[in-house]
Amino acid sequence: MRLLYTLAMYLLTPLIFYRLLARGLRMPGYYARWRERFGHFKNPGFERSIWVHAVSVGEVNAAAPLVEALRRRYADLPFVLTTVTPTGSDRVRQLWGDDVFHVYLPYDLPGSVGRFLAATRPKLAVVMETEIWPNLFLSCESAGIPVVVANARLSDKSLRGYGPVRPIIRAAIRSARFVAAQSQQDADRFLSLGARPERLRVVGNLKFDLQVKPELFTEAAAARVRWGVQRPVWIAASTHEGEELAVIEAHSRLLNRFPDALLLVAPRHPERFKPMVQLCRSYGFATRTRSEDDEPDAHSQCFVIDTLGELVNFIACADVAFVAGSLEAIGGHNVLEPAALGIPVVVGPHTFNFEEVTDLLLEQGAALRVADSEDLSRTLQTLLADPERRERMGEACKRTVGHERGAVERTLEVIGRLLRGEVEPGADASDSRPASRGR
């Protein structure tokens, strides 16, 4: 099966090149550093590295607390960070600069994977969330490199999507030395996929461990004074093409009741920055952008956050946060960033990528679900007119996040056992079942 999979990967290589070219038309960063994608890069000249792979911006942000903890605990070891996307690469550079060695993860071809492992010489591999690559995992197993799937999540859609390659995916996940699942639902799906029960536990979601700098709130309060302290402000975070119009129409209806309302909107992908600005202006909204104007002013109706790595700063300035990717069947995005800041959360009907976390916030009264653009506008009007309800929801957010913290420490414990050479780091003497979520 592995031979057939590898043959298929080689046959697909021309299509991969075409996809890179197509993406490069919208985002020129995809044209750079192609050799890295085949395992060709300058040898860093170290060994016994700790290697962390995070596919893009969201995964890099989720990995950040764990990476920081690992760097403190294993300061004598070199660190390798890999991503797949240019935006993920930019975020790594923004967070750690030259303190870590960064390249793109090579394609899952035996030669490319072999060159990467030979150059970086990992002592341990930490792969974030859902990146299961058979040749990579099985090559690590052959080389004696333990693989930890950290913050592991697996939706029903992804599980069904493996289809004909499921046997080789099963072999890959069984080769992992530990799967640190976000939730019991994720753990059950990984078991269904074939993960070894003694190498699987629920450790919780690393994103609950987001560290909020105290000065963030001071800076946000100062910004609100500059923008107009009494005006209502909401943010649409990580919007996609199919829901941008719905967001703008919701804001248009909102302005009928709150003429001074301000929308902060952050498109998920850089290629949507300019179209989002054009859409706002086509509705006649006074629109400013982060790249050209730095911040909104007292007369702005829309402000487009057309930069990366600053979303949390602007979420802190909002009265309500709509987490996008959820009005369309995309699966939703990270609801924990606004929740950790105590900002009431609103989501659409499609949140299967963050199902258990979203459901938890909904159950605790920290979030609300809307059906469509009109429902979004009605919900925003209700919340923006009721500061006491927003305060209750914000307190529920902080209480829920605080209760669920600890995934970083639990993941560190597993990694420590692996680095000490323990055979099955997830198995306790008394109980080899997955633990309950985050407790």
Side-chain angles (χ1 to χ4, degrees), residues 33 36 41 80-83 93 101-105 116 120:
R33 298 160 52 197
E36 292 179 16
F41 51 86
V80 177
L81 269 291
T82 57
T83 64
R93 292 300 188 207
F101 180 76
H102 166 66
V103 291
Y104 286 131
L105 182 74
F116 170 78
T120 56

Side-chain angles (χ1 to χ4, degrees), residues 298-316:
H299 306 289
S300 303
Q301 295 171 303
C302 290
F303 181 74
V304 180
I305 305 164
D306 56 350
T307 55
L308 298 173
E310 298 188 295
L311 182 58
V312 171
N313 300 28
F314 286 100
I315 290 175

Side-chain angles (χ1 to χ4, degrees), residues 1-9 108 134-135 138 162-172:
M1 186 67 191
R2 185 179 179 186
L3 180 62
L4 290 173
Y5 167 80
T6 300
L7 178 61
M9 286 296 296
D108 200 34
N135 280 324
L138 295 171
Y162 285 126
V165 300
R166 186 159 176 165
I168 189 64
I169 296 294
R170 180 177 187 273

Side-chain angles (χ1 to χ4, degrees), residues 179-199:
V179 179
Q182 290 187 19
S183 70
Q184 188 61 54
Q185 291 172 324
D186 294 308
D188 291 342
R189 290 171 189 140
F190 275 105
L191 286 171
S192 175
L193 188 61
R196 299 177 186 270
E198 69 276 12
R199 297 183 179 183

